[in-house]
Every structure is written in structure tokens, then in C-alpha cells.
Amino acid sequence: MTIAPVQSSTSLGSSGWTDTRLILALEEVVETELNRHLGVAKEWMPHEFVPWSQGRDFDGVLGGEAWNIEQSKVTPLGRVSLVVNLLTEDNLPSYHHEIATMFGREGAWGTWVHRWTAEEGRHGIAIRDFLLATRAVDPVELERARMNHMSEGFESDNAHSMLHSVAYVAFQELATRIAHRNTGKFAGDPLCEQLLAKIANDENLHMVFYRNLLKAALEIAPDQAMRAIADVVTNFRMPGHGIPGFERAAAQIALGGVYNLRIHHDDVLQPVLRNLRVMEIGGLGPEGMVAQNELGVFLDGLDAQARKFEERQAAMQARRAARRAAE
């Protein structure tokens, strides 16, 4: 799920680059990446991954069967992660408003905004239909969580800068891809895994679009882009952080191996940074060099934190295994 800030005309550093100037300068790159995306994106139908034959009326107006957790074939970890993923996708109207306000609705930028929105909308439709048809979650609690989450609105962490926005989504789209893919693996349902693999593929293509756009920004405004990358990486958080009960759910997701510090460091940050060759870029000015150094220090610290998390995770798994053996 992509998050971008509202448009700002503020200057980026001492170069004189503004959001407006950068958007215009990158228009040709956006057109190239849009054409590439349209050439490789494959059409798929959400309804083909929903087992409609399993569906039946719920209690309420239709007087059907009340939901019970025993009706679900999805694992507890899969259920928690699926709900977080879906509620994140549900905020699409806010995300669309922000990127459309920033990038505009005309030209290549506008075409991309609308295409991205259409593809992301497909994700929420597919996940919700699957969850309800298979009775994987309590429909009442799911709807209440959706209302609460969307009623809070959304405010981007990167509303001050177009470059920060592009840097954020380059990492965040990959994080979302991995979260969906791993959720499918742990869900305990082969069809669910197939569905989330399709969604993950879309998210990966979105990541490639923004990553390549960020690469072009590094060539145009290297110091400012490096600053944006360092700021985003050191302050990164997932777009669903405002979901009610997110901290508890995130802890379960981390301990379960869906998404945690090790995955974030090894499978999200490092692949994008290596592709951009961020730590190898030379010829930077003072601002860019400081940002590059901050990034290196942070990554070393994050790797150490990930090792400590892995140790705690292994100890917890050992204790659980010992308890099961003693039963």
C-alpha cells in the first residue's frame, strides 16, 4: 500500500529543487516506468480466488448462522495478519487523495495514480471477499475495526517533501509485498496463499516503479534524495500503524515470522539500498555525506537489534516446545 504526502512547494536543501520542479523533471521517467509497468502487469480476477461455495448467510437480517472462530480454517497468526493487511488496504481513499493531490491527475503522473489506485482497490476487495466467504474472521468485529480505523483519517509521516514520499514508498511497497506473501505462507490455507501471492506480485511491481523513480531522483538531486532516504529509513513505520490494537498485532506478526526486524533489515531495506547503490554513491555534498553516514550507522544498529530479537524469539520457541513436550 502506497503512502504519499500532499504537495508542497518548499525548497529541498540549498539546491533550489522544489516539489513542483522535481515532479516536472521526473515526468519523463514516470512515463517510462508507467509503460514498463503496463507491459509486465498481468490481469487477474479476484473472484477466482474466493471459494464462494463455502459462503452462507450470517446471523442478522438474513437470519443465518452466527460466526464462530471454529468455523475458520485459517491459523490464528494468519487471521491477525490478514486483518491488519486488509485494514491497511481499506484506507485507499485517503491514500488516493494524497498522491493525487501531490502528483496531479494529468499526464503520466495522473495515469499512474489512477492505475495504482485501481490495482490497490482489487486487493482490498479480494481479501475481504475471501475472509467473509470462508468465515475466517468475525464480520462484526472486522467492520467495527474498519470504521474505527478509517474514521481516524490518515496523515503521512512524509507530508513535508515529495522526495521523502517517493523514498518511503520504494521501501514500503516491498514491505507490503513481503507481509502479504508471508501471511499467505502462515495462513494454513492453500487458496489464501495463492490469493496473497497474486497481491504480493502487484505490490512488487509498485515497488519497482517507485524504486526506479527514486534512482532517477538520486541522479537529479543526489544530496536531497540521500537525505530523504536516510530520514525515511531511520523513521520507517508501516502505514497501518493507526489500526486499533496495531502494537499487539504487530508483536504477534513479528514473533510468528510474518514481518519483524530481521525481515525488515534483510529483505526490505537492504535489497532496495543495494539496487540503488546508496552506500557507494560518491561526489556528494556535505548534506548528502552526512545523510549517507547516518544511514550506515543506523543500519548497523538495526542489524544488532535484529540479532537480539532473533535470540528472544528462539528462546520463546524453545520454551513453547518444552511445554508441549511435557504435556
Side-chain angles (χ1 to χ4, degrees), residues 22-39:
L22 280 167
I23 288 170
L24 292 173
L26 292 169
E27 176 86 23
E28 186 175 341
V29 179
V30 171
E31 182 176 2
T32 298
E33 291 304 312
L34 172 63
N35 290 334
R36 180 202 55 75
H37 178 86
L38 295 176

Side-chain angles (χ1 to χ4, degrees), residues 1-2 33 36-37 40-41 44 89 92 112-123 166 168-174 176-177 180 198-214:
M1 178 59 63
T2 303
E33 291 304 312
R36 180 202 55 75
H37 178 86
V40 298
W44 62 277
E89 300 283 357
L92 181 60
W112 166 253
V113 167
H114 298 312
R115 172 71 187 204
W116 172 85
T117 301
E119 292 182 0
E120 290 291 352
R122 178 167 58 195
H123 302 166
V166 172
Y168 176 75
V169 292
F171 295 103
Q172 181 264 321
E173 291 283 9
L174 181 53
T176 304
R177 170 214 166 187
H180 281 306
K198 283 290 185 182
I199 293 174
N201 186 63
D202 283 353
E203 302 289 9
N204 192 63
L205 293 179
H206 298 165
M207 178 277 294
V208 173
F209 178 95
Y210 286 113
R211 184 197 64 195
N212 292 351
L213 191 59
L214 183 57

